[in-house]
Amino acid sequence: MNRTSGSAAQALEKFRELTRKIKQYEEILGVAYWDMRTGAPRKGIELRSEAMGALSADMFRLATSDEMGELLATLAEADVYRTLGEIDRRLVDEMKKDYDRNRKIPPELYREYVVLTSKAESVWEEAKANNDFASFAPYLEQIVDYTRRFIELWGVKDTPYDTLLDMYEPEMTVAELDRLFGELKARLVPLAEAIAASPHQPDTSFLQGTFDKEAQKQFSLHILKEMGFDFAAGRLDESVHPFATGLNPGDVRITTRYLPDDVVSALFGTIHECGHALYEQNIAPELAGTPLATGTSMGIHESQSRLWENIVGRSLGFWQRYLPDLRRHFPGRFDEVTPEAFYRAINVVQPSLIRIEADELTYNLHIMIRYEIEKMLFNEGLSPRDLPEVWNAKYKEMLGITPQTDSEGVLQDVHWSGGSFGYFPSYSLGNMYAAQIMRAARRALPDLDAQIAAGQLLPLKEWLTEKVYRHGKLRQPAELIRDISGEPLQSGYLCDYLEEKYRDIYRL
Ligand code: ZN
């Protein structure tokens, strides 16, 4: 830093101050968002939404201000940039990317878009409730139109859809995803078909019935402790849709939803969100308070929740250790059930219409359908009005089932009403990253599976902290996965993992 000139040093100081302020806005908005979804009084929602809208607009103004532009211009100059430390350099890259992108959209156009999408979400909600795609279609058409215009303004990468992908998974491309998803499809569709044809379907009868909510909560809390969730730096609450929010590394909040007739739904929801939370709680202290104190991409974030939920939480070893604990929380309910039987029951594969209820295997097929459709919208000019037809044909092709209504078809997800195109692939990228990261973990920790079966989950958490969590946004996803596994992202590890698991469960 000593080689930084006086005015550059001043610019750096101002830049750090400004980015810190942006992060502070984000934290307070995060608290308000959490509050809205965990029991804020209904009558206060309207004014609260206005307050949040005003704060968001302020935050946006700071990030796109002329001052930010000037500071970035100074700091990005080669002579100055060279003298910056690793964190400041990455911070400049990150803020500059946002700044450049946001400054390309005329404020008036963006305002229209915000109004449109906030209206569209309630129209979508109603359309879904009434199975009325026609009422939502004009909104979707406009959202797609705006998005097409934004892509033009941002600049088309290899294809228009590449521009969208990059927002959620930096450096990911259509060419790369076509390859990865093509490979997944080629191995997972036949696997799902073999499973459906297997005479060895797991018995799930003991998962039925009603289960005391307080006992569910206590068991969820027990597993959170086992995973090393820091209760002095986080909390567990309830919400309709489970989520995790990292306000800062010392305040990471997760939620779950207890269903009286499902003993595992809340538990796996909790484990999933805890995976997100471990990431946020264990970011290095030197990144705290900067915009780098978060996950590096949606895909990597999702890899951490899915690694814990599926690869650990739905493994046989995990239940060899924790089924006795579950029995203690639900006396008499699982006395006759063996860990093997429990393991098979929680891993049932069943092609279904609803993504969020899908099993670990067919989930990926739901994602590929959305990916193919989004690509058609932005790269091939598909009209949003034709979506139901295309949707249903893809479900028939990929999962062998056809929705009877648009509510359980094209209208099921909220994402498109908010203009979140390019987001869906993150979920399957998360599954692929998770399998590849877990393979590297097994190599580094030869006793890992025995440790999990003995309830020693902390060595894995510590390894992940070292390899993933502590870096926050300091490393790009592609860099991170190469450092961890020695190669770029592959589809094969996820396929190997799923084939091995389900061949055993379904005796294929
Ligand atoms: Zn998640």
Side-chain angles (χ1 to χ4, degrees), residues 272-273 276 302 305:
H272 179 100
E273 301 308 336
H276 286 303
E302 207 56 30
S305 54

PDB file of all heavy atoms in Angstrom, residues 272-273 276 302 305, ligand 1:
ATOM      1  N   HIS A 272     -30.853 -28.071   5.308  1.00  0.00           N
ATOM      2  CA  HIS A 272     -30.546 -27.315   4.085  1.00  0.00           C
ATOM      3  C   HIS A 272     -30.160 -25.868   4.431  1.00  0.00           C
ATOM      4  O   HIS A 272     -29.092 -25.387   4.041  1.00  0.00           O
ATOM      5  CB  HIS A 272     -31.770 -27.341   3.161  1.00  0.00           C
ATOM      6  CG  HIS A 272     -31.597 -26.592   1.881  1.00  0.00           C
ATOM      7  ND1 HIS A 272     -31.304 -27.226   0.686  1.00  0.00           N
ATOM      8  CD2 HIS A 272     -31.653 -25.267   1.593  1.00  0.00           C
ATOM      9  CE1 HIS A 272     -31.193 -26.306  -0.269  1.00  0.00           C
ATOM     10  NE2 HIS A 272     -31.403 -25.110   0.248  1.00  0.00           N
ATOM     11  N   GLU A 273     -31.022 -25.220   5.191  1.00  0.00           N
ATOM     12  CA  GLU A 273     -30.755 -23.815   5.514  1.00  0.00           C
ATOM     13  C   GLU A 273     -29.524 -23.692   6.412  1.00  0.00           C
ATOM     14  O   GLU A 273     -28.789 -22.708   6.341  1.00  0.00           O
ATOM     15  CB  GLU A 273     -31.979 -23.162   6.169  1.00  0.00           C
ATOM     16  CG  GLU A 273     -33.257 -23.176   5.317  1.00  0.00           C
ATOM     17  CD  GLU A 273     -33.104 -22.619   3.899  1.00  0.00           C
ATOM     18  OE1 GLU A 273     -32.184 -21.809   3.682  1.00  0.00           O
ATOM     19  OE2 GLU A 273     -33.874 -23.024   3.014  1.00  0.00           O
ATOM     20  N   HIS A 276     -26.511 -23.368   4.275  1.00  0.00           N
ATOM     21  CA  HIS A 276     -26.322 -21.961   3.864  1.00  0.00           C
ATOM     22  C   HIS A 276     -25.728 -21.151   5.025  1.00  0.00           C
ATOM     23  O   HIS A 276     -24.852 -20.320   4.834  1.00  0.00           O
ATOM     24  CB  HIS A 276     -27.665 -21.327   3.480  1.00  0.00           C
ATOM     25  CG  HIS A 276     -28.217 -21.781   2.147  1.00  0.00           C
ATOM     26  ND1 HIS A 276     -27.515 -21.648   0.974  1.00  0.00           N
ATOM     27  CD2 HIS A 276     -29.415 -22.340   1.808  1.00  0.00           C
ATOM     28  CE1 HIS A 276     -28.259 -22.105  -0.043  1.00  0.00           C
ATOM     29  NE2 HIS A 276     -29.416 -22.530   0.444  1.00  0.00           N
ATOM     30  N   GLU A 302     -25.748 -22.839  -2.989  1.00  0.00           N
ATOM     31  CA  GLU A 302     -26.670 -23.976  -3.027  1.00  0.00           C
ATOM     32  C   GLU A 302     -25.910 -25.302  -2.866  1.00  0.00           C
ATOM     33  O   GLU A 302     -26.446 -26.282  -2.369  1.00  0.00           O
ATOM     34  CB  GLU A 302     -27.444 -23.929  -4.351  1.00  0.00           C
ATOM     35  CG  GLU A 302     -28.800 -24.577  -4.324  1.00  0.00           C
ATOM     36  CD  GLU A 302     -29.751 -24.033  -3.263  1.00  0.00           C
ATOM     37  OE1 GLU A 302     -29.670 -22.832  -2.898  1.00  0.00           O
ATOM     38  OE2 GLU A 302     -30.575 -24.818  -2.781  1.00  0.00           O
ATOM     39  N   SER A 305     -25.796 -25.990   0.952  1.00  0.00           N
ATOM     40  CA  SER A 305     -27.039 -26.466   1.548  1.00  0.00           C
ATOM     41  C   SER A 305     -27.332 -27.899   1.110  1.00  0.00           C
ATOM     42  O   SER A 305     -27.762 -28.732   1.899  1.00  0.00           O
ATOM     43  CB  SER A 305     -28.187 -25.545   1.160  1.00  0.00           C
ATOM     44  OG  SER A 305     -28.264 -25.392  -0.238  1.00  0.00           O
TER      45      SER A 305
HETATM   46 ZN    ZN B   1     -31.050 -23.280  -0.740  1.00  0.00          ZN
END
